[in-house]
Amino acid sequence: MTPSAVLQDIPVLAADIGGTKILVALVRGNKVLTSRLLPTLRDAGPVEWMSALHEVAIQWRGEFDCVGVTVSGQVESGVWKSVNPATLSVGKPFDIAASLSRIGAHFEVLNDAQSAAWGEHIYGAGQGSDLVYLTVSTGLGGGIVCNGKLLQGQRGLAGHFGLVSQNLTASDGGAEPFEDLATGRWIANQALTETGIEHSSKSVFENAREGKAWARRIVSTSALRVAKLCRDISFVIDPPMIVIGGGIGLAEGFVAEIERHLNELIPNHNIDILTSVLREKAGIVGIAAIAAQSHIHQERNMQ
Ligand code: ADP
């Protein structure tokens, strides 16, 4: 039996807590059996977000064998920390493991883009291949699968490409993280600056498709910056592919725009830039696979 066939047997309660939305689902293998989409009430904080998850867990009690939760930010030994509070602030470090233990099932918790990278590796664009995954969303996260293993790093930080400095020569040390200059928040802020009117990033993309010069400029600048990041990643990791997901990454035309810029930055490059196959499910499918695998190990050890 292939590993994925074993994983298909385990129903998992999976949740993805991002800067804009919380997706809670029952997942079996790469199949989402049912799901709930909730807004992330950013000011409410992790206790409230977790109680929303607990409510769903109570409603679905008996329907899952284990739990997988994936979050925006750093997860170190079961403690959740914001790396860039502008993307999502959890306030002081939050013991998410203690909160999840109250559900009463075996659980795993991990950074969202790392989980998505694993999802794409097992079931998505990678299908067993090494890859780098980038989620271009409220912020920008990443995950690295190298030699068939998910790289989590010493403190759960591996793949936080959105946190790299955007300007190494800046006098302040380039403290402003890259993600503050390319993602959903930047696009919306830039649109407000350019037009004086509030626009969501979705509306900026719609205006760009309608040919509005200001919107095309914003989308193109964001894609150019992500293309430069892809170039840098190719020099550091040299992955066979970079898979792009997230609300901005999946917006129509964005990956093509990254490719166009990359072709100008490095003519004749052979970096495959692919759109996420699992799309908005990448995080929950990835964490479900990790939780199911770990549940199988735990059951075997108890026999
Ligand atoms: P999260 O950051 O919570 O994981 P997403 O990956 O959906 O959530 O990213 C949210 C960002 O993507 C927001 O800035 C949102 O406005 C933007 N977004 C979502 N859908 C679209 C779309 N169709 N076109 C452009 N931007 C989008």
Side-chain angles (χ1 to χ4, degrees):
M1 206 189 283
T2 63
S4 51
V6 176
L7 298 182
Q8 300 277 6
D9 293 338
I10 315 279
V12 184
L13 171 70
D16 183 351
I17 305 177
T20 301
K21 60 178 171 41
I22 301 175
L23 178 62
V24 191
L26 282 177
V27 179
R28 224 184 242 268
N30 62 348
K31 298 209 167 41
V32 175
L33 307 175
T34 180
S35 67
R36 302 266 169 85
L37 190 61
L38 316 164
T40 309
L41 304 174
R42 294 169 63 89
D43 295 334
V47 174
E48 293 294 322
W49 307 329
M50 293 308 288
S51 57
L53 172 59
H54 279 269
E55 270 176 38
V56 180
I58 288 166
Q59 287 163 25
W60 291 346
R61 184 177 285 153
E63 295 183 59
F64 55 87
D65 289 351
C66 56
V67 178
V69 175
T70 183
V71 298
S72 171
Q74 179 184 6
V75 180
E76 184 180 10
S77 306
V79 175
W80 180 12
K81 301 173 195 171
S82 307
V83 192
N84 182 1
T87 296
L88 183 64
S89 172
V90 294
K92 53 184 192 319
F94 179 72
D95 190 346
I96 189 167
S99 174
L100 286 171
S101 65
R102 288 197 284 116
I103 296 179
H106 176 77
F107 65 87
E108 292 290 330
V109 54
L110 205 71
N111 166 266
D112 53 1
Q114 291 177 349
S115 306
W118 191 247
E120 291 292 335
H121 167 72
I122 299 260
Y123 294 115
Q127 296 283 340
S129 167
D130 284 351
L131 56 87
V132 165
Y133 175 86
L134 292 181
T135 173
V136 190
S137 49
T138 314
L140 188 145
I144 303 160
V145 178
C146 186
N147 296 332
K149 292 210 160 61
L150 178 66
L151 207 63
Q152 291 181 48
Q154 191 71 14
R155 292 165 293 144
L157 278 175
H160 270 82
F161 297 109
L163 274 298
V164 298
S165 170
Q166 42 79 24
N167 184 353
L168 296 176
T169 59
S171 54
D172 65 353
E176 192 173 14
F178 172 84
E179 67 179 356
D180 286 359
L181 293 173
T183 59
R185 285 181 293 106
W186 178 80
I187 290 173
N189 288 340
Q190 198 61 18
L192 182 61
T193 306
E194 291 219 12
T195 66
I197 299 166
E198 290 215 358
H199 286 274
S200 64
S201 33
K202 195 170 174 184
S203 139
V204 176
F205 274 82
E206 280 161 5
N207 277 282
R209 282 194 285 275
E210 285 164 13
K212 306 264 174 46
W214 64 268
R216 289 174 71 109
R217 210 162 41 238
I218 293 172
V219 169
S220 180
T221 304
S222 167
L224 171 62
R225 290 173 178 174
V226 177
K228 286 179 178 172
L229 178 64
C230 291
R231 177 193 58 188
D232 291 357
I233 287 171
S234 79
F235 286 126
V236 178
I237 297 166
D238 192 17
M241 62 181 75
I242 299 178
V243 181
I244 310 281
I248 306 295
L250 295 171
E252 196 188 319
F254 194 72
V255 168
E257 191 72 4
I258 295 172
E259 281 186 309
R260 190 176 70 73
H261 285 300
L262 199 55
N263 289 336
E264 284 173 10
L265 291 168
I266 330 178
N268 305 319
H269 72 80
N270 57 1
I271 315 163
D272 272 341
I273 308 289
L274 304 176
T275 302
S276 159
V277 165
L278 299 174
R279 302 181 72 84
E280 45 289 311
K281 296 189 306 184
I284 51 167
V285 167
I287 192 64
I290 289 164
Q293 190 72 62
S294 149
H295 176 68
I296 291 166
H297 277 297
Q298 206 197 30
E299 296 273 290
R300 281 195 190 133
N301 289 341
M302 280 163 53
Q303 280 166 10

